[in-house]
Amino acid sequence: MAGNDEVNLIESRTVVPLNTWVLISNFKLAYTLLRRPDGTINRHLAEFLDRKVTANANPVNGVFSFDVIIDRSINLLSRVYRPAYAEGPRPSVLDLEKPVDSEVVPVILFFHGGSFAHSSANSAIYDTLCRRLVGVCKCVVVSVNYRRAPEHPYPCAYDDGWIALNWVSSRTWLKSKKDSKVHIFLAGDSSGGNIAHNVALKAGEAGLINVLGNVLLNPMFGGEERTESEKRLDGKYFVTVRDRDWYWKAFLPQGEDREHPACNPFSLRGKSLRGLCFPKSLVVVAGLDLIRDWQLGYVEGLKKAGHEVKLMHLEKATVGFYLLPNNVHFHNVMDEVSAFVNAEN
Amino acid sequence: MKRDLHQFQTPDTRFPNHGTATNTSSSSKDKMMMVKEEDDGDELLAMLGYKVKSSEMAEVALKLEQLETMMGNVQEDGLLSNLATDTVHYNPSELYSWLDNMLTEFNPPPPPPEINSSFLTGTASDYDLKAIPGNAIYARSSSSSNQPCDNNNNSKRLKSCSSPDSMLTTTTTLTTATESTRSMATESTRFTESTRSMATESTRSMIIESTRLNESTRSVPTESTRSMVLVDSQENGVRLVHALMACAEAVQSNDLSLAEALVKQIGFLAVSQAGAMRKVATYFAEALARRIYRLSPPRSHVDHSLSDTLQTHFYETCPYLKFAHFTANQAILEAFEGKKRVHVIDFSMSQGLQWPALMQALALREGGPPVFRLTGIGPPAADGSDHLHEVGCKLAQLAEAIHVEFEYRGFVASSLADLDATMLELRPSETEAVAVNSVFELHKLLGRTGGVEKVLSVVKEIKPVIFTVVEQESSHNGPVFLDRFTEALHYYSTLFDSLEGVPSSQDKVMSEVYLGKQICNLVACEGADRVERHETLSQWANRFGTSGFAPAHLGSNAFKQASMLLALFNGGEGYRVEESNGCLMLGWHTRPLITTSAWKLAAAR
């Protein structure tokens, strides 16, 4: 870790509520235990420590959920979250896939974070976040349990995302009445944001599925260069450059560096996005996230390529601010996301 | 270094801890500002799976900081990896104790001088398969229960096997097949990896007892959860499910002519369905038909040899029973540490499949095996045969082979509630440590008033060092028939789905029959006949808590070994082990299906 540890810990403590500090520090501690120097992850301990919740077909706070194996060959599971139905308290199994009954219902295909290596769709932090999204946005959320690094490096997560996009797109019960199409948004935090970008790219290239928008929360991007924010914020707010490097090494193909387009979409090695079919984006950047400069660079890159992008730069937010609803950033972001996915209404 | 706590007690006052549960509809900003009572757990963290009292938040933060500083100061990654690899972690939801445990690990007491250092450097990832229960252990003796005892060369042992039993009025007491050789054979003192795999890797801070644990039991949510994993829609036979639900509803409202019509329809629909759904639907339909026509279903307690056989097939086909035995044995082994004489009372004795692995592990124990006494309690056999005795003989043979002093007694009882502690010939707890084990048995008591309470009070009289319980993780005992039916339909659909990956075989078919009998009992029976009254961990935990038991947590070592066990199974990819409140659950994908929990007597106040 760079810098004076004492100072670092006090600094991070002043910018977030105490329970947030405890939560994110706990994750940081656990993840440090799980990363091995040889690039492998202590997966058994990871699964032991991860707090998981089951799906629940009984509505809680107006949201119910159920799990679907969307691809049996790779055991790809997704968790579907829906607003509770107006009539009757509990949907039976027959009603789980009841057609959405509004003119326009946004469907958010969500990719959880975890730097490509941690968490699952049924992790409590992400189950909670997805439920909140449904509550605020009045949408359906499908959270993809994509395969993780280092056991499943690039491009597995992207492939799984692509399969999930096709699955969502072909669900008749998710089609909005207005045009008999599924109104799909891609969303994700950290590595999930990165996955959302790449799945949108592929959708644009393939041309068959229309992605209406991307929501990227603290998306995970990087590059070989050490940016100013990386140098200044290294180790100060829960994240270190060293751990970022570790995760990129675990995800990227062996021998590749961080100029690989998966890590740095606007590197010289990446292809230009100009002229490509690409959705509008809402990009949320936490000012105290050390990869802030890469995220801002991403936004600039989209703009230069002629794509619509709205930036929410939350100068005082740290990583993980959206995991607890105890700060103004959380609420501002949720409102923006809701406006973004409901723009058609 | 010391840190003033007050630094952690002044959060940014613009954003006090959010008090209420999330309901972030419309303007979510309005919901922010409620400060919680000091004593209660932080609600926001609780939603994310962490139990931290608001009053302890600052201390927890301090511990996090201390650990971080220590880890930051560590120069070699090796020390860090020890914390990850060798430390046994328990109940990560309880942040306070989890962090404390690690802080202790980081400042360990000096190791006792006689430990061979080479023993400690074995990697925990190596896993000796000898310790796995199942066929491997029974390699010597045939799995057929008709195998005569006299295939070994020591006639002295044979006599005790076949000696006549003394009969008591309500139970049959079998003579003990006592092992007379007490070989502490020096050739068995080589420390193999299997020793590590079953023995505790860290003997410190094993079972953390504190009032916190009782609270965590109470705070388990009591509203029911319906957890569903659907295979992709095209396969799940919506029409079939629709007909099943409609039929169950008709049965509940006593519209028997409608129910009858639907049962027939289900039959037709099931035939054209593929895979697990077809089988599940068929069993449920048959059970519904029995209920409609008031046919008495096959009464399983009349034919226990069939039940035992089916259970053995189920054991072979899929990992559920192996997981149950493995995790329960792990808890028992840890509780028996350092004890010279141990006694296991098994409420679920059928074929005794659980015990060879425990005996093997005890045999390989550092310092040598204890004297091992086993009391097996099982239901009467239909043909009057003394199957408990035969099981005892086989185990005695194994005990001899592995040089464990062994004593066995079998008790026949139609119901566990017939048991009294006095029958068990308990010895003083200073001389003998007792474990009580129950795998898929306790729920059967719930149909009889006072049944489970009686058994739990007997367990308390036994004063076990550990009480291991394995139960189905589902709510099949609610008061409303349709609810039970629906829960069971999802539960068994998931269970059958997990069997789909198993290649077709006699074992698999019999496993399905085994499950089918449970379905039949659950759906078609009522009153005392309905014995498959499964309840969830939270329901059992409440019951145990109010009866005077406290949780004994299963840790990351048991979790890891159970996970590795699963990897051996064909189609193992769908199985998942999950930790919840110190208990371990085995599930299919995201749906837990069985739970192993361990209990001890709550400390007297």
Side-chain angles (χ1 to χ4, degrees), chain B residues 551-574:
Chain B
H553 292 165
L554 290 151
S556 55
N557 52 345
F559 181 98
K560 175 178 174 177
Q561 289 160 13
S563 301
M564 289 166 78
L565 174 78
L566 292 179
L568 299 173
F569 276 83
N570 187 23
E573 282 183 31

PDB file of all heavy atoms in Angstrom, chain B residues 551-574:
ATOM      1  N   PRO B 551     -26.095 -22.739  19.392  1.00  0.00           N
ATOM      2  CA  PRO B 551     -25.434 -23.251  18.188  1.00  0.00           C
ATOM      3  C   PRO B 551     -23.952 -23.519  18.414  1.00  0.00           C
ATOM      4  O   PRO B 551     -23.287 -22.786  19.138  1.00  0.00           O
ATOM      5  CB  PRO B 551     -25.589 -22.119  17.170  1.00  0.00           C
ATOM      6  CG  PRO B 551     -26.412 -21.080  17.800  1.00  0.00           C
ATOM      7  CD  PRO B 551     -26.500 -21.335  19.252  1.00  0.00           C
ATOM      8  N   ALA B 552     -23.473 -24.566  17.806  1.00  0.00           N
ATOM      9  CA  ALA B 552     -22.041 -24.838  17.734  1.00  0.00           C
ATOM     10  C   ALA B 552     -21.683 -24.710  16.263  1.00  0.00           C
ATOM     11  O   ALA B 552     -22.142 -25.476  15.436  1.00  0.00           O
ATOM     12  CB  ALA B 552     -21.741 -26.250  18.245  1.00  0.00           C
ATOM     13  N   HIS B 553     -20.874 -23.724  15.953  1.00  0.00           N
ATOM     14  CA  HIS B 553     -20.734 -23.385  14.544  1.00  0.00           C
ATOM     15  C   HIS B 553     -19.830 -24.315  13.765  1.00  0.00           C
ATOM     16  O   HIS B 553     -18.783 -24.739  14.231  1.00  0.00           O
ATOM     17  CB  HIS B 553     -20.206 -21.955  14.420  1.00  0.00           C
ATOM     18  CG  HIS B 553     -21.216 -20.939  14.874  1.00  0.00           C
ATOM     19  ND1 HIS B 553     -20.881 -19.637  15.131  1.00  0.00           N
ATOM     20  CD2 HIS B 553     -22.534 -21.043  15.113  1.00  0.00           C
ATOM     21  CE1 HIS B 553     -21.974 -18.977  15.514  1.00  0.00           C
ATOM     22  NE2 HIS B 553     -22.975 -19.813  15.517  1.00  0.00           N
ATOM     23  N   LEU B 554     -20.241 -24.587  12.547  1.00  0.00           N
ATOM     24  CA  LEU B 554     -19.398 -25.301  11.596  1.00  0.00           C
ATOM     25  C   LEU B 554     -18.594 -24.256  10.843  1.00  0.00           C
ATOM     26  O   LEU B 554     -19.101 -23.183  10.522  1.00  0.00           O
ATOM     27  CB  LEU B 554     -20.279 -26.099  10.632  1.00  0.00           C
ATOM     28  CG  LEU B 554     -20.969 -27.282  11.314  1.00  0.00           C
ATOM     29  CD1 LEU B 554     -22.285 -27.612  10.645  1.00  0.00           C
ATOM     30  CD2 LEU B 554     -20.061 -28.501  11.248  1.00  0.00           C
ATOM     31  N   GLY B 555     -17.349 -24.568  10.556  1.00  0.00           N
ATOM     32  CA  GLY B 555     -16.456 -23.544  10.037  1.00  0.00           C
ATOM     33  C   GLY B 555     -16.009 -23.762   8.611  1.00  0.00           C
ATOM     34  O   GLY B 555     -16.475 -24.665   7.905  1.00  0.00           O
ATOM     35  N   SER B 556     -15.063 -22.914   8.219  1.00  0.00           N
ATOM     36  CA  SER B 556     -14.622 -22.908   6.827  1.00  0.00           C
ATOM     37  C   SER B 556     -13.902 -24.196   6.440  1.00  0.00           C
ATOM     38  O   SER B 556     -13.868 -24.551   5.257  1.00  0.00           O
ATOM     39  CB  SER B 556     -13.708 -21.707   6.572  1.00  0.00           C
ATOM     40  OG  SER B 556     -12.638 -21.711   7.498  1.00  0.00           O
ATOM     41  N   ASN B 557     -13.350 -24.889   7.421  1.00  0.00           N
ATOM     42  CA  ASN B 557     -12.686 -26.151   7.086  1.00  0.00           C
ATOM     43  C   ASN B 557     -13.716 -27.195   6.651  1.00  0.00           C
ATOM     44  O   ASN B 557     -13.547 -27.868   5.627  1.00  0.00           O
ATOM     45  CB  ASN B 557     -11.846 -26.657   8.254  1.00  0.00           C
ATOM     46  CG  ASN B 557     -12.621 -26.736   9.554  1.00  0.00           C
ATOM     47  OD1 ASN B 557     -13.712 -26.164   9.677  1.00  0.00           O
ATOM     48  ND2 ASN B 557     -12.081 -27.434  10.520  1.00  0.00           N
ATOM     49  N   ALA B 558     -14.797 -27.288   7.417  1.00  0.00           N
ATOM     50  CA  ALA B 558     -15.862 -28.220   7.042  1.00  0.00           C
ATOM     51  C   ALA B 558     -16.479 -27.814   5.707  1.00  0.00           C
ATOM     52  O   ALA B 558     -16.789 -28.659   4.862  1.00  0.00           O
ATOM     53  CB  ALA B 558     -16.939 -28.257   8.132  1.00  0.00           C
ATOM     54  N   PHE B 559     -16.651 -26.519   5.528  1.00  0.00           N
ATOM     55  CA  PHE B 559     -17.205 -25.996   4.282  1.00  0.00           C
ATOM     56  C   PHE B 559     -16.356 -26.404   3.096  1.00  0.00           C
ATOM     57  O   PHE B 559     -16.851 -26.916   2.087  1.00  0.00           O
ATOM     58  CB  PHE B 559     -17.280 -24.468   4.379  1.00  0.00           C
ATOM     59  CG  PHE B 559     -17.847 -23.787   3.175  1.00  0.00           C
ATOM     60  CD1 PHE B 559     -19.174 -23.407   3.148  1.00  0.00           C
ATOM     61  CD2 PHE B 559     -17.055 -23.507   2.061  1.00  0.00           C
ATOM     62  CE1 PHE B 559     -19.708 -22.750   2.042  1.00  0.00           C
ATOM     63  CE2 PHE B 559     -17.575 -22.870   0.949  1.00  0.00           C
ATOM     64  CZ  PHE B 559     -18.908 -22.492   0.950  1.00  0.00           C
ATOM     65  N   LYS B 560     -15.066 -26.188   3.246  1.00  0.00           N
ATOM     66  CA  LYS B 560     -14.175 -26.476   2.132  1.00  0.00           C
ATOM     67  C   LYS B 560     -14.167 -27.959   1.815  1.00  0.00           C
ATOM     68  O   LYS B 560     -14.249 -28.361   0.647  1.00  0.00           O
ATOM     69  CB  LYS B 560     -12.768 -26.011   2.487  1.00  0.00           C
ATOM     70  CG  LYS B 560     -11.731 -26.377   1.457  1.00  0.00           C
ATOM     71  CD  LYS B 560     -10.381 -25.835   1.859  1.00  0.00           C
ATOM     72  CE  LYS B 560      -9.320 -26.340   0.896  1.00  0.00           C
ATOM     73  NZ  LYS B 560      -8.013 -25.762   1.228  1.00  0.00           N
ATOM     74  N   GLN B 561     -14.080 -28.765   2.831  1.00  0.00           N
ATOM     75  CA  GLN B 561     -14.018 -30.207   2.589  1.00  0.00           C
ATOM     76  C   GLN B 561     -15.316 -30.715   1.992  1.00  0.00           C
ATOM     77  O   GLN B 561     -15.311 -31.574   1.115  1.00  0.00           O
ATOM     78  CB  GLN B 561     -13.669 -30.920   3.887  1.00  0.00           C
ATOM     79  CG  GLN B 561     -12.214 -30.651   4.274  1.00  0.00           C
ATOM     80  CD  GLN B 561     -11.947 -30.909   5.728  1.00  0.00           C
ATOM     81  OE1 GLN B 561     -12.769 -31.507   6.417  1.00  0.00           O
ATOM     82  NE2 GLN B 561     -10.810 -30.450   6.202  1.00  0.00           N
ATOM     83  N   ALA B 562     -16.428 -30.177   2.464  1.00  0.00           N
ATOM     84  CA  ALA B 562     -17.709 -30.566   1.884  1.00  0.00           C
ATOM     85  C   ALA B 562     -17.770 -30.153   0.417  1.00  0.00           C
ATOM     86  O   ALA B 562     -18.246 -30.907  -0.437  1.00  0.00           O
ATOM     87  CB  ALA B 562     -18.863 -29.942   2.673  1.00  0.00           C
ATOM     88  N   SER B 563     -17.261 -28.975   0.109  1.00  0.00           N
ATOM     89  CA  SER B 563     -17.261 -28.513  -1.281  1.00  0.00           C
ATOM     90  C   SER B 563     -16.408 -29.403  -2.151  1.00  0.00           C
ATOM     91  O   SER B 563     -16.756 -29.712  -3.292  1.00  0.00           O
ATOM     92  CB  SER B 563     -16.725 -27.081  -1.377  1.00  0.00           C
ATOM     93  OG  SER B 563     -17.500 -26.211  -0.603  1.00  0.00           O
ATOM     94  N   MET B 564     -15.284 -29.819  -1.598  1.00  0.00           N
ATOM     95  CA  MET B 564     -14.405 -30.674  -2.386  1.00  0.00           C
ATOM     96  C   MET B 564     -15.024 -32.046  -2.584  1.00  0.00           C
ATOM     97  O   MET B 564     -14.868 -32.674  -3.630  1.00  0.00           O
ATOM     98  CB  MET B 564     -13.044 -30.769  -1.701  1.00  0.00           C
ATOM     99  CG  MET B 564     -12.278 -29.461  -1.791  1.00  0.00           C
ATOM    100  SD  MET B 564     -10.862 -29.364  -0.702  1.00  0.00           S
ATOM    101  CE  MET B 564      -9.696 -30.334  -1.582  1.00  0.00           C
ATOM    102  N   LEU B 565     -15.737 -32.508  -1.589  1.00  0.00           N
ATOM    103  CA  LEU B 565     -16.459 -33.767  -1.713  1.00  0.00           C
ATOM    104  C   LEU B 565     -17.434 -33.697  -2.883  1.00  0.00           C
ATOM    105  O   LEU B 565     -17.556 -34.620  -3.676  1.00  0.00           O
ATOM    106  CB  LEU B 565     -17.228 -34.023  -0.410  1.00  0.00           C
ATOM    107  CG  LEU B 565     -18.163 -35.219  -0.350  1.00  0.00           C
ATOM    108  CD1 LEU B 565     -17.381 -36.487  -0.160  1.00  0.00           C
ATOM    109  CD2 LEU B 565     -19.151 -35.061   0.787  1.00  0.00           C
ATOM    110  N   LEU B 566     -18.114 -32.587  -3.006  1.00  0.00           N
ATOM    111  CA  LEU B 566     -19.098 -32.426  -4.068  1.00  0.00           C
ATOM    112  C   LEU B 566     -18.477 -32.480  -5.444  1.00  0.00           C
ATOM    113  O   LEU B 566     -19.089 -32.940  -6.395  1.00  0.00           O
ATOM    114  CB  LEU B 566     -19.820 -31.081  -3.925  1.00  0.00           C
ATOM    115  CG  LEU B 566     -20.733 -30.930  -2.738  1.00  0.00           C
ATOM    116  CD1 LEU B 566     -21.326 -29.542  -2.750  1.00  0.00           C
ATOM    117  CD2 LEU B 566     -21.824 -31.977  -2.783  1.00  0.00           C
ATOM    118  N   ALA B 567     -17.265 -31.966  -5.523  1.00  0.00           N
ATOM    119  CA  ALA B 567     -16.617 -31.914  -6.829  1.00  0.00           C
ATOM    120  C   ALA B 567     -16.403 -33.308  -7.408  1.00  0.00           C
ATOM    121  O   ALA B 567     -16.197 -33.467  -8.609  1.00  0.00           O
ATOM    122  CB  ALA B 567     -15.298 -31.170  -6.725  1.00  0.00           C
ATOM    123  N   LEU B 568     -16.466 -34.325  -6.544  1.00  0.00           N
ATOM    124  CA  LEU B 568     -16.273 -35.685  -7.034  1.00  0.00           C
ATOM    125  C   LEU B 568     -17.496 -36.220  -7.760  1.00  0.00           C
ATOM    126  O   LEU B 568     -17.434 -37.246  -8.417  1.00  0.00           O
ATOM    127  CB  LEU B 568     -15.964 -36.623  -5.853  1.00  0.00           C
ATOM    128  CG  LEU B 568     -14.719 -36.308  -5.045  1.00  0.00           C
ATOM    129  CD1 LEU B 568     -14.665 -37.222  -3.840  1.00  0.00           C
ATOM    130  CD2 LEU B 568     -13.483 -36.480  -5.902  1.00  0.00           C
ATOM    131  N   PHE B 569     -18.606 -35.537  -7.595  1.00  0.00           N
ATOM    132  CA  PHE B 569     -19.835 -36.060  -8.159  1.00  0.00           C
ATOM    133  C   PHE B 569     -20.047 -35.609  -9.586  1.00  0.00           C
ATOM    134  O   PHE B 569     -19.900 -34.455  -9.923  1.00  0.00           O
ATOM    135  CB  PHE B 569     -21.037 -35.645  -7.309  1.00  0.00           C
ATOM    136  CG  PHE B 569     -21.241 -36.564  -6.167  1.00  0.00           C
ATOM    137  CD1 PHE B 569     -20.504 -36.394  -5.014  1.00  0.00           C
ATOM    138  CD2 PHE B 569     -22.112 -37.627  -6.252  1.00  0.00           C
ATOM    139  CE1 PHE B 569     -20.653 -37.269  -3.953  1.00  0.00           C
ATOM    140  CE2 PHE B 569     -22.275 -38.497  -5.201  1.00  0.00           C
ATOM    141  CZ  PHE B 569     -21.546 -38.328  -4.040  1.00  0.00           C
ATOM    142  N   ASN B 570     -20.450 -36.553 -10.391  1.00  0.00           N
ATOM    143  CA  ASN B 570     -20.827 -36.248 -11.756  1.00  0.00           C
ATOM    144  C   ASN B 570     -21.949 -35.220 -11.743  1.00  0.00           C
ATOM    145  O   ASN B 570     -22.899 -35.354 -11.000  1.00  0.00           O
ATOM    146  CB  ASN B 570     -21.308 -37.535 -12.423  1.00  0.00           C
ATOM    147  CG  ASN B 570     -21.570 -37.338 -13.891  1.00  0.00           C
ATOM    148  OD1 ASN B 570     -21.023 -36.417 -14.500  1.00  0.00           O
ATOM    149  ND2 ASN B 570     -22.399 -38.168 -14.465  1.00  0.00           N
ATOM    150  N   GLY B 571     -21.817 -34.200 -12.538  1.00  0.00           N
ATOM    151  CA  GLY B 571     -22.830 -33.157 -12.476  1.00  0.00           C
ATOM    152  C   GLY B 571     -22.679 -32.334 -11.223  1.00  0.00           C
ATOM    153  O   GLY B 571     -23.585 -31.639 -10.801  1.00  0.00           O
ATOM    154  N   GLY B 572     -21.491 -32.417 -10.598  1.00  0.00           N
ATOM    155  CA  GLY B 572     -21.262 -31.715  -9.345  1.00  0.00           C
ATOM    156  C   GLY B 572     -21.314 -30.215  -9.472  1.00  0.00           C
ATOM    157  O   GLY B 572     -21.359 -29.517  -8.474  1.00  0.00           O
ATOM    158  N   GLU B 573     -21.321 -29.746 -10.684  1.00  0.00           N
ATOM    159  CA  GLU B 573     -21.253 -28.295 -10.854  1.00  0.00           C
ATOM    160  C   GLU B 573     -22.454 -27.565 -10.322  1.00  0.00           C
ATOM    161  O   GLU B 573     -22.368 -26.402  -9.982  1.00  0.00           O
ATOM    162  CB  GLU B 573     -21.089 -27.963 -12.336  1.00  0.00           C
ATOM    163  CG  GLU B 573     -19.671 -28.182 -12.793  1.00  0.00           C
ATOM    164  CD  GLU B 573     -19.487 -27.773 -14.237  1.00  0.00           C
ATOM    165  OE1 GLU B 573     -20.181 -26.847 -14.666  1.00  0.00           O
ATOM    166  OE2 GLU B 573     -18.666 -28.410 -14.910  1.00  0.00           O
ATOM    167  N   GLY B 574     -23.588 -28.205 -10.279  1.00  0.00           N
ATOM    168  CA  GLY B 574     -24.764 -27.503  -9.801  1.00  0.00           C
ATOM    169  C   GLY B 574     -24.858 -27.449  -8.291  1.00  0.00           C
ATOM    170  O   GLY B 574     -25.558 -26.613  -7.735  1.00  0.00           O
TER     171      GLY B 574
END
